[in-house]
Amino acid sequence: MMSPVEAASLWVGLNAFLLIFLSARVGATRMKHKVNLGDGGNEYMVKAIRTQGNYIEYAPAALGGLVLLALLNAPIMLIHLLGAMFLFARISHLLGLGMGVWPQGRVVGTVFTMITLLVTGISLITLAVF
């Protein structure tokens, strides 16, 4: 059976791979559209940059929260639930905004990201205070 720290490590590790993928998409889009710096006014560059940037805006709070929950000995199932929900949210956002293959993905990703952060925050405060 996994410990809370091992559970959090699994989700942080999986998210590291997602970040590598998002970063590689930015690089590949730069090469394809010959944009060296910024977005060059190119809509594909804007989407690739925003998909990566949006991930980077939320990942520290979500993943740091998972690590802190693990250190506070939170239930393993809670860590798995939050880790899976955050990864699902970010992949949904990628499919919606970044790739345009699931139009609802951007909204679904945003909603699930906010739910993940809300539940993580409430859990952290509850475990810290009680």
Side-chain angles (χ1 to χ4, degrees):
M1 184 165 147
M2 275 187 177
S3 71
V5 171
E6 290 168 333
S9 297
L10 170 68
W11 295 107
V12 172
L14 290 171
N15 274 273
F17 289 129
L18 179 57
L19 179 55
I20 290 167
F21 178 77
L22 294 172
S23 300
R25 282 187 74 244
V26 171
T29 304
R30 283 192 186 290
M31 290 191 308
K32 180 178 180 180
H33 296 281
K34 297 179 179 22
V35 177
N36 186 43
L37 187 62
D39 61 34
N42 181 295
E43 74 173 287
Y44 298 105
M45 257 335 299
V46 171
K47 288 180 180 181
I49 291 169
R50 281 311 311 143
T51 304
Q52 179 197 33
N54 193 274
Y55 176 85
I56 291 170
E57 292 166 5
Y58 292 108
L63 301 178
L66 287 181
V67 171
L68 290 171
L69 285 171
L71 294 174
L72 290 169
N73 215 17
I76 295 167
M77 286 310 299
L78 176 64
I79 294 168
H80 282 306
L81 173 70
L82 293 171
M85 195 175 344
F86 183 70
L87 188 62
F88 168 77
R90 298 293 75 204
I91 291 172
S92 298
H93 189 266
L94 166 66
L95 294 174
L97 175 64
M99 299 177 131
V101 296
W102 183 28
Q104 300 84 359
R106 184 178 183 187
V107 173
V108 169
T110 300
V111 169
F112 274 87
T113 295
M114 293 304 129
I115 292 169
T116 301
L117 292 174
L118 178 65
V119 174
T120 299
I122 290 169
S123 300
L124 285 168
I125 292 167
T126 301
L127 287 169
V129 173
F130 299 107

